[in-house]
Amino acid sequence: MFYKGYNNINYGLLSIARYIYVTSYQVISVGRFMDKSELLEKILIDPKPLSINQRDAVLSDKRHIRIIAGAGAGKTETLTRRIVYLLLSKNVDPSAVVAFTFTDNAAESMKSRVYERVKHLGGDDICARLGEMFVGTIHAYCKRLLQDHFGYGDWGALDENQEMAYIMQIGWDLGLGQSGNYSIDCEDFLNTTNVYYNEIIPEIRFRRKKDADFLDKIHHYETLLDNHKQLTFNRMIRLAVENLRKNSEVTEHVKHLIVDEYQDINHVQEELIQLIGKCGNIFIVGDPRQTIYQWRGSDERCFEEFATKYPNTATIHITENRRSTVAVIETANGFSDTFCRTKYDHIDPVRTERGKVLLTEMDSDVTEVRWIADQIQLLVDTGKCAYKDIALLFRSVTTSAPPFIEEFRRRDIRFVVGGKVGLFRRLEILGVGQLFAWLWSDGFWIPSRSKGRISGENLLHEALMNWNMGIPELTIGEQGIINLRKWKESVLFSSYDNFTQVLDELLVILGYHKLDPGNERHAVIMANLGRFNELLTDNETAIMLGGKKRRNWEKNLKDLCWYMNTYASSKYDEQTGDDIAGIDAVQLTTIHQCKGLEWPLVFIPCVVHQRFPSSLMGKSKNWLISEDLFEVEKYEGDEESERKLMYVAMTRARDVAVVSYFTSMNGRPKARGDFIDDIEQLEYVESLSQSDTLPDYEYIVTNPSEELHTFTAGELVAYGKCGYFYRLRHVWGYQPGLNEYIGYGTSLHFCMRVAAELIKQQGMSPLIAVATAVDRHFHLPFMAPGRTRDIKNKAKEHLMRFTSAHLEDMLRILEVETRVEFPVQNAIVSGKVDVILHDGDAIEVREYKTTDTATTPDDLSLQLRLYTKGLMSIGKQVSRGSVAFLEKARINIVNVSETAVEATVGQAEKSIRNILEGNFEPCPGTACKKCDYQKICKWRA
């Protein structure tokens, strides 16, 4: 049968830019070892044979191909083999392949598999050119297009949290707040703005006064963003579409467009895919049974109508499920038969183990919590599985997870909370957030909708209670309270430059230096404090955009207090980097966030009335435009979406799934969820009472596959300085303090890039080109306009002096801001070469630096040599390396001989091994004086 399904996802940004284009591409290495037929067979069977339908998908020569791949069907493997087949068997140039993935992590996984297979089958020569292929999210690709081709090269991008913080800063100017609830009005504006961009609604249809008012607001909003050179995630896609409509030649080189999770796209993404793929092949993969993001703008008809838009589409079903046991698969199949709008073909289990799906009724919510905690402890204590092999999947973490968090904390069951509310479910983070709210003279905290505000001294005591409960070994006593009062006074008297400095001082008072990063529990705490640092920077970025003559700390603290209470406390999740993801902990997360993940044992608790299905299903939202301009129903949810959520939850289980509900709460009867009747009638579902333990079962526990990780040259330089610095910055997300000079070096680099383009494309003299570039493009996002003019004039002087001193070099520029990407022993190294210059028959690789004080000669040499390695690996002859110090008009030569380059690559590989093994040793020394984290580092020299 067929399907209806579609949705949208919050794509994260991947590092992007232009890649070096090399026209000759031949499968030289492959020819040395095997002929074409042998190579093709290797692609199809190695490392494991593909099914017949997977083979058909990989080998199809149709221009438009739609793959319907069920849960656990091996779609990532199918996509990987398709790309490898195109590159090695069909000799497709890597630069002609674009692959869109669901998330950055999915991109990393796919890229890793492609590199591994191509290197195994094709050798290093082919593997070296894979950096020209784009694998990443749609948002990342759109940013690449805008920056490389449409004049947005020096623009930044606000993610969803940063955008909300900015709207809350400028909302009054937009006319928000008329309802009497300012924060709600801001969120309504953001939601409506996303609809405007997602649906590509022509402005000519905005005829009513309400719609015209919204147009005025969004035009004003876009003007403000333009003034600060900031994009937003959804606007990026809309701008990419609008520019490609007029300049389609930009993507004519793309001959194979591959789109994963196609059911997750919206209208503007659909048009983008059509525009990119109009000169090539489009290969889409999706599962309409897993359409769960309509509330973000997905349209379930995009997947269905693909074959209508492209009449000769080949549709291939991959029905095999390799992930789950028979009971899990057959129960999911039976539940999918209850979907209202469409009936779907069943997926077929490949594994022969029966497995289990258990349905459990509890007499109360308290009993459910204790029973699940009992089962987890028993399984871990008996060695049946580890904490990390278990997940609790909730319809809402906010509504259902708190009792489990409290019980797990009481029993010392290690856990990680997903879902956007996860960060503030950590008591220590809640305490820190409350201390920041307490800084404002009228500061407050709202624990929940049912409880009133906490303020004044009560807020201080509440904050300390949460901190002390979260980290008992760092309990704050009387002296600590005295220090906190001094801290508050110093903040209000403007003793600090930014929120990061304020946080650093607080952490010292709270005993941060006593935390041991080698202790797994302490590492999680430290990582989440880094996540809170990101929250502070998100809010401060919004406050400081455009520059301020002086800080108004009273107002800034008020803004932060409202941001945390009305938005951030329910929108920020825990740190999700590798340093946390790899720990042995039970995952507590929402079903929306678990898609693409799997565990041997999955609990689906709290399937009760008004929780699952959600009481918000179909609830009207406040839209700032007329509801007949778009299909409002999909944004507000329906029962079909809720059923698909349950299907997704079930199919995350590899061996055993446990669905549970309770019949009373706080002494009052509680009805079970509407889906329980459907589930208990299914053949493979077994009932279990609250007096029972989980049946004995041999869980199949597998270690995650080793994947290649991508490291930038800059990250490797950071690790070389100090492993602990690297961990704080690049693993845990601690932010450098915000200041008005941020972006200065980036702006100088961009001006030099524009000057080079003006010289090459318009024949300008170098001096005029530099002056023109600075006049047009110099920009400091956090500096007040008056100050910016002075700094701009000084910057022009520096660049003009540099250009005068090195006039001939400006005329030798061949390429600017060129990305390189190449494999090393156990990873992928990427970077961006500032300038490539002609040097006779060879090239010179050059880095621009603003001053000679920020980095050491060894650091600069490491970067230059890694870039040299990347260029040489694709056949470029590099004769020289140099570093240009723009402000001092000086150029230093760097040794890029083959011996020096290979030694640097060996050094980089050693650093990467240490990072992957979790070795983040501190390196106290002279660099400590310039370190952003010297205040919170107990090893500083």
Side-chain angles (χ1 to χ4, degrees), residues 489-776:
E489 183 178 344
S490 64
V491 174
L492 295 177
F493 277 92
S494 303
S495 301
Y496 302 97
D497 296 327
N498 49 60
F499 280 148
T500 292
Q501 289 182 2
V502 177
L503 175 64
D504 289 350
E505 184 65 33
L506 173 62
L507 294 181
V508 172
I509 294 171
L510 295 176
Y512 185 85
H513 290 153
K514 297 178 182 177
L515 294 173
D516 175 12
N519 177 301
E520 197 170 72
R521 190 173 67 85
H522 285 188
V524 172
I525 292 168
M526 297 171 83
N528 282 319
L529 287 167
R531 181 73 172 127
F532 183 79
N533 195 174
E534 292 177 359
L535 180 158
L536 292 177
T537 303
D538 288 348
N539 182 253
E540 191 169 30
T541 296
I543 291 172
M544 299 307 294
L545 273 175
K548 300 289 184 293
K549 290 184 178 179
R550 56 178 298 181
R551 290 295 290 262
N552 184 336
W553 279 98
E554 180 73 11
K555 183 180 185 306
N556 295 165
L557 292 169
K558 174 184 177 181
D559 292 343
L560 175 63
C561 180
W562 279 100
Y563 179 68
M564 288 192 295
N565 275 283
T566 60
Y567 180 79
S569 62
S570 62
K571 296 296 182 182
Y572 279 78
D573 52 8
E574 282 201 54
Q575 185 67 266
T576 55
D578 290 340
D579 202 63
I580 285 191
I583 73 166
D584 184 20
V586 179
Q587 297 283 323
L588 282 68
T589 189
T590 65
I591 301 169
H592 282 105
Q593 288 199 320
C594 76
K595 198 167 162 190
L597 303 176
E598 58 186 69
W599 296 268
L601 172 60
V602 167
F603 290 95
I604 309 170
C606 306
V607 186
V608 296
H609 180 59
Q610 294 190 320
R611 289 200 186 178
F612 201 176
S614 170
S615 61
L616 299 178
M617 177 183 67
K619 186 176 180 180
S620 296
K621 296 181 180 180
N622 183 36
W623 302 104
L624 305 189
I625 57 177
S626 301
E627 294 185 3
D628 60 356
L629 291 176
F630 66 107
E631 293 185 55
V632 68
E633 294 82 7
K634 73 181 179 185
Y635 285 91
E636 296 178 348
D638 58 15
E639 184 178 318
E640 189 86 339
S641 302
E642 296 290 309
R643 287 186 177 275
K644 290 183 176 182
L645 273 173
M646 177 59 78
Y647 177 86
V648 168
M650 288 179 176
T651 54
R652 299 311 95 195
R654 291 209 299 260
D655 297 320
V656 175
V658 183
V659 180
S660 62
Y661 62 96
F662 47 85
T663 58
S664 72
M665 183 176 179
N666 298 324
R668 298 178 180 178
K670 187 71 176 178
R672 62 188 192 173
D674 295 344
F675 300 157
I676 296 298
D677 287 346
D678 297 321
I679 293 171
E680 69 180 356
Q681 296 174 16
L682 299 174
E683 177 184 355
Y684 284 85
V685 175
E686 303 174 37
S687 294
L688 202 64
S689 77
Q690 65 186 43
S691 60
D692 295 327
T693 58
L694 288 178
D696 192 38
Y697 189 84
E698 291 298 324
Y699 295 90
I700 299 179
V701 178
T702 59
N703 293 320
S705 59
E706 290 292 329
E707 294 183 348
L708 296 176
H709 294 269
T710 300
F711 296 89
T712 66
E715 288 174 338
L716 297 177
V717 168
Y719 184 82
K721 289 180 178 179
C722 175
Y724 189 58
F725 171 90
Y726 177 91
R727 192 178 202 182
L728 289 169
R729 173 70 58 86
H730 297 288
V731 180
W732 289 343
Y734 284 79
Q735 302 293 299
L738 203 64
N739 67 74
E740 62 179 357
Y741 282 94
I742 285 180
Y744 178 73
T746 300
S747 191
L748 289 193
H749 287 199
F750 184 72
C751 288
M752 293 298 285
R753 165 186 160 179
V754 172
E757 292 169 348
L758 291 173
I759 294 167
K760 291 182 64 177
Q761 297 170 10
Q762 299 185 26
M764 282 190 185
S765 70
L767 288 172
I768 293 176
V770 167
T772 301
V774 174
D775 287 340
R776 292 177 181 174

Side-chain angles (χ1 to χ4, degrees), residues 438-453:
W438 172 70
L439 285 174
W440 178 36
S441 56
D442 293 323
F444 63 90
W445 198 267
I446 306 174
S448 66
R449 294 177 183 175
S450 61
K451 297 181 180 179
R453 292 186 180 190

Side-chain angles (χ1 to χ4, degrees), residues 35-65:
D35 59 28
K36 285 287 186 178
S37 60
E38 186 181 358
L39 169 65
L40 180 59
E41 191 61 21
K42 282 280 188 183
I43 292 171
L44 297 176
I45 68 171
D46 191 10
K48 55 186 176 183
L50 297 178
S51 69
I52 293 174
N53 287 348
Q54 283 180 307
R55 284 182 173 232
D56 290 343
V58 168
L59 302 177
S60 177
D61 59 1
K62 289 281 189 176
R63 186 176 171 194
H64 300 105
I65 304 164

Side-chain angles (χ1 to χ4, degrees), residues 204-432:
I204 195 173
R205 294 183 58 198
F206 288 69
R207 299 186 181 93
R208 299 179 182 88
K209 183 179 185 307
K210 176 180 181 179
D211 304 329
D213 287 345
F214 173 76
L215 270 188
D216 289 341
K217 286 181 173 62
I218 199 165
H219 288 160
H220 186 191
Y221 178 53
E222 290 178 344
T223 299
L224 293 173
L225 289 169
D226 292 348
N227 291 339
H228 301 314
K229 293 192 173 183
Q230 295 293 326
L231 298 165
T232 63
F233 272 24
N234 285 320
R235 191 184 180 203
M236 275 195 293
I237 303 178
R238 176 80 170 254
L239 285 171
V241 166
E242 291 171 353
N243 280 280
L244 283 177
R245 287 172 181 169
K246 297 176 284 188
N247 303 277
S248 60
E249 71 281 357
V250 166
T251 55
E252 284 180 354
H253 67 284
V254 179
K255 301 306 177 187
H256 292 274
L257 176 60
I258 296 168
V259 186
D260 193 10
E261 304 285 6
Y262 194 85
Q263 81 278 355
D264 294 327
I265 67 167
N266 57 38
H267 286 170
V268 70
Q269 293 167 342
E270 181 184 44
E271 183 173 351
L272 177 79
I273 290 164
Q274 292 171 2
L275 289 167
I276 297 171
K278 73 178 189 177
C279 294
N281 298 348
I282 304 177
F283 183 102
I284 70 168
V285 180
D287 181 7
R289 285 156 291 209
Q290 299 186 65
T291 308
I292 57 175
Y293 294 94
Q294 293 94 327
W295 53 281
R296 286 185 176 269
S298 308
D299 191 319
E300 60 186 8
R301 292 165 301 191
C302 291
F303 196 91
E304 178 181 352
E305 293 175 356
F306 185 85
T308 304
K309 285 183 169 58
Y310 305 106
N312 294 320
T313 294
T315 296
I316 300 171
H317 294 254
I318 301 177
T319 61
E320 301 88 355
N321 178 291
R322 294 166 174 76
R323 171 193 299 157
S324 304
T325 53
V326 174
V328 172
I329 294 303
E330 295 301 345
T331 301
N333 283 334
F335 189 75
S336 72
D337 289 340
T338 71
F339 293 173
C340 309
R341 287 193 288 270
T342 310
K343 301 302 178 185
Y344 300 95
D345 286 344
H346 285 182
I347 51 179
D348 303 314
V350 171
R351 292 177 58 185
T352 57
E353 302 95 330
R354 180 182 174 91
K356 290 187 179 295
V357 175
L358 304 165
L359 180 63
T360 309
E361 178 183 287
M362 304 291 169
D363 59 21
S364 72
D365 55 329
V366 175
T367 304
E368 181 184 49
V369 170
R370 291 174 178 170
W371 184 83
I372 290 177
D374 287 342
Q375 308 315 305
I376 292 172
Q377 282 192 317
L378 180 62
L379 288 169
V380 173
D381 290 345
T382 57
K384 292 292 184 181
C385 55
Y387 289 127
K388 62 183 174 61
D389 301 318
I390 304 168
L392 274 66
L393 306 183
F394 299 99
R395 177 60 182 86
S396 167
V397 164
T398 304
T399 303
S400 300
F404 291 91
I405 293 170
E406 292 175 12
E407 185 71 10
F408 288 4
R409 186 179 286 118
R410 187 181 68 80
R411 299 193 189 200
D412 200 25
I413 294 174
R414 290 194 292 273
F415 64 92
V416 172
V417 185
K420 290 191 173 181
V421 73
L423 183 64
F424 284 89
R425 293 300 174 188
R426 290 283 176 185
L427 288 178
E428 61 275 10
I429 302 301
L430 177 59
V432 170

Side-chain angles (χ1 to χ4, degrees), residues 126-141:
I126 302 172
C127 206
R129 291 200 52 237
L130 292 182
E132 300 165 36
M133 174 181 66
F134 180 86
V135 180
T137 66
I138 289 178
H139 288 91
Y141 190 76

